[in-house]
Amino acid sequence: MNQHSLAPHSNFSRNDSAIKRGKIGRKLSVLLALALAGGTFSSCQKSSEHKARPLVPPTEKRKLTMAKNELKLPQTISTLPAPAVVISPQTADQEEISRLIRQYLEKKQLDGRHLAVDVLNFRTQSRYTFNSSCYFTAASTYKLCLATLYYDLVAQSKVALSDTYLLDASMTDEGEAVAGTYKTGDSIPVRELLKHMVISSDNTAAHVLFQHLGGFDKFKTLTCSFLNIQPDQAYLQEGNLINAQILTACARAIYSAAQTTYKQLLEDMTQAQTSRYFNLLPPMQHIMAQKYGSFENAMNSVGFSLDANNPFSLVVLTDLGPAGEQVLAEIAALIYAHYHPDKLQAEQILAQAEVFRNYPVYTAEDQPAVVNADGADN
């Protein structure tokens, strides 16, 4: 097979155009004032007044004919031990992060219903959550779960990185070639597909990969099985939606085998948008290994800081439109400063935060809900 250029390219303007947004009506459960006050709420509730429009990738709408080398999955795949659930008072770590997030929302005058935050400290297992169970448009963050699943299959020798998958015309994202190089009819190594999907968020590469698992819905079912997540119909049936809990479970799985199964995945994540999303602010550039995503109002990222003393994962999901990138960046800087006060000062980040004024125009189906507005899990 000929060698092709691996130079990553940016597809920010069209990111996730092939996985159309699933719009879902969500019931307003409390006022913003309660969110800022740090109340704890129940699970995310969908409004019965609006029917969610099912999202199906265009490749499925076209009744895609699978490539001949479709991956034949076993009845079961390996699963991680289910994390223990411990109910206990907030730790000092959780309390401090809670304080930072509350102060940040107040300084920005930001409506907390429009974002979710999930922070997991891998050393102490301390965890802070804000709206973590509420669903948002995933944009390209779903690709992290897809990559995690594939690297697990590689570790089990059920897939080889050297395996090649045929790029069928129906798998392309509006004619997009993988990395701008591979074209319809080419056989592409799995390693190349994974690399371009993670680094440059290549949509066609993602389509090829999830179609070889049996389609987008099958991929989500397999994700639940692998992560030991209780199947949730909002996740399985509502299209490209995700919540911070799912992405944190994925991050936990990656960290559990960071030096073996997922070493290459993490290396690729360090090359993904080194000066945007979580890495946007000058002091943060090249700091976070991340998988970013944007589509319509969605602006999201999930990432890692793997410092030996305080390794942590961070998930931030928003429906704040392009202006939400500054929110991602500032929250990432706050959390990094919390764990690295010798390198960055949280108070300085708070002092420089400006009032958020650029809310998108939302439809009735886009209404957010505040849930688990200030919680903690050990």
Side-chain angles (χ1 to χ4, degrees):
M1 184 174 179
N2 295 332
Q3 296 296 314
H4 300 282
S5 171
L6 298 182
H9 69 283
S10 173
N11 61 353
F12 172 73
S13 63
R14 295 199 309 111
N15 193 23
D16 281 73
S17 59
I19 306 294
K20 302 300 183 185
R21 182 179 181 197
K23 294 183 178 179
I24 181 171
R26 300 184 230 167
K27 185 179 299 181
L28 299 179
S29 57
V30 292
L31 299 176
L32 171 62
L34 293 178
L36 297 179
T40 301
F41 303 88
S42 59
S43 61
C44 205
Q45 305 248 342
K46 292 189 296 179
S47 170
S48 59
E49 298 174 2
H50 304 288
K51 281 190 176 181
R53 288 180 285 180
L55 174 151
V56 180
T59 47
E60 293 188 3
K61 289 181 179 177
R62 297 190 209 110
K63 298 181 179 179
L64 173 69
T65 300
M66 302 296 288
K68 291 183 179 179
N69 59 343
E70 174 184 350
L71 174 65
K72 302 299 183 182
L73 290 173
Q75 291 298 311
T76 60
I77 59 176
S78 70
T79 58
L80 297 171
V85 177
V86 181
I87 306 300
S88 65
Q90 285 192 340
T91 64
D93 182 41
Q94 293 161 343
E95 289 178 353
E96 177 59 15
I97 294 176
S98 177
R99 181 189 71 83
L100 290 173
I101 296 299
R102 287 200 305 271
Q103 289 188 359
Y104 177 72
L105 294 177
E106 291 168 355
K107 180 68 186 296
K108 296 283 286 187
Q109 297 179 31
L110 182 60
D111 186 337
R113 296 173 299 175
H114 294 282
L115 73 157
V117 181
D118 201 315
V119 185
L120 174 61
N121 183 313
F122 293 113
R123 182 179 64 84
T124 65
Q125 292 301 302
S126 174
R127 183 175 173 193
Y128 168 82
T129 64
F130 182 100
N131 288 349
S132 190
S133 64
C134 197
Y135 282 90
F136 287 76
T137 298
S140 277
T141 58
Y142 83 87
K143 295 170 185 172
L144 182 62
C145 297
L146 182 56
T148 304
L149 186 57
Y150 260 93
Y151 277 108
D152 177 67
L153 292 169
V154 169
Q156 297 180 71
S157 299
K158 293 168 182 172
V159 175
L161 292 176
S162 60
D163 288 348
T164 59
Y165 291 165
L166 178 68
L167 176 55
D168 186 272
S170 58
M171 295 179 182
T172 62
D173 174 23
E174 299 178 4
E176 177 186 274
V178 174
T181 301
Y182 295 101
K183 60 185 182 300
T184 300
D186 283 348
S187 293
I188 310 173
V190 169
R191 169 63 191 134
E192 296 286 281
L193 293 167
L194 288 167
K195 180 174 184 177
H196 293 299
M197 180 182 72
V198 173
I199 295 177
S200 54
S201 208
D202 193 293
N203 290 323
T204 296
H207 292 184
V208 174
L209 289 168
F210 68 63
Q211 290 300 343
H212 277 271
L213 292 176
F216 194 66
D217 290 342
K218 178 64 173 179
F219 144 65
K220 291 192 293 183
T221 299
L222 290 170
T223 296
C224 289
S225 175
F226 170 63
L227 296 176
N228 268 319
I229 296 172
Q230 182 68 30
D232 184 339
Q233 295 310 304
Y235 174 62
L236 295 178
Q237 296 182 1
E238 299 292 355
N240 194 26
L241 299 180
I242 205 160
N243 64 32
Q245 290 179 339
I246 294 172
L247 289 171
T248 296
C250 187
R252 192 193 295 268
I254 293 170
Y255 184 77
S256 71
Q259 297 303 316
T260 52
T261 302
Y262 302 111
K263 184 177 181 179
Q264 186 62 64
L265 172 57
L266 285 166
E267 289 179 0
D268 288 345
M269 291 176 71
T270 64
Q271 300 179 54
Q273 297 290 6
T274 57
S275 59
R276 290 199 57 193
Y277 298 90
F278 284 165
N279 296 319
L280 179 66
L281 301 185
M284 290 293 293
Q285 291 183 2
H286 298 272
I287 293 293
M288 299 288 288
Q290 65 180 335
K291 181 67 205 81
Y292 58 92
S294 64
F295 179 70
E296 294 186 350
N297 291 340
M299 183 67 68
N300 309 323
S301 194
V302 49
F304 297 86
S305 172
L306 297 180
D307 174 86
N309 293 326
N310 277 301
F312 69 88
S313 65
L314 171 65
V315 178
V316 183
L317 305 176
T318 79
D319 61 0
L320 295 168
E325 184 173 11
Q326 185 72 18
V327 174
L328 296 184
E330 289 169 345
I331 291 176
L334 281 175
I335 302 305
Y336 185 79
H338 167 66
Y339 288 118
H340 300 279
D342 56 322
K343 298 179 181 178
L344 195 60
Q345 294 298 310
E347 299 307 320
Q348 182 179 3
I349 302 300
L350 288 171
Q352 294 175 350
E354 298 180 353
V355 174
F356 189 89
R357 303 183 187 279
N358 299 312
Y359 289 99
V361 176
Y362 299 104
T363 68
E365 291 180 322
D366 293 321
Q367 292 303 313
V370 176
V371 296
N372 295 333
D374 195 0
D377 301 310
N378 278 37

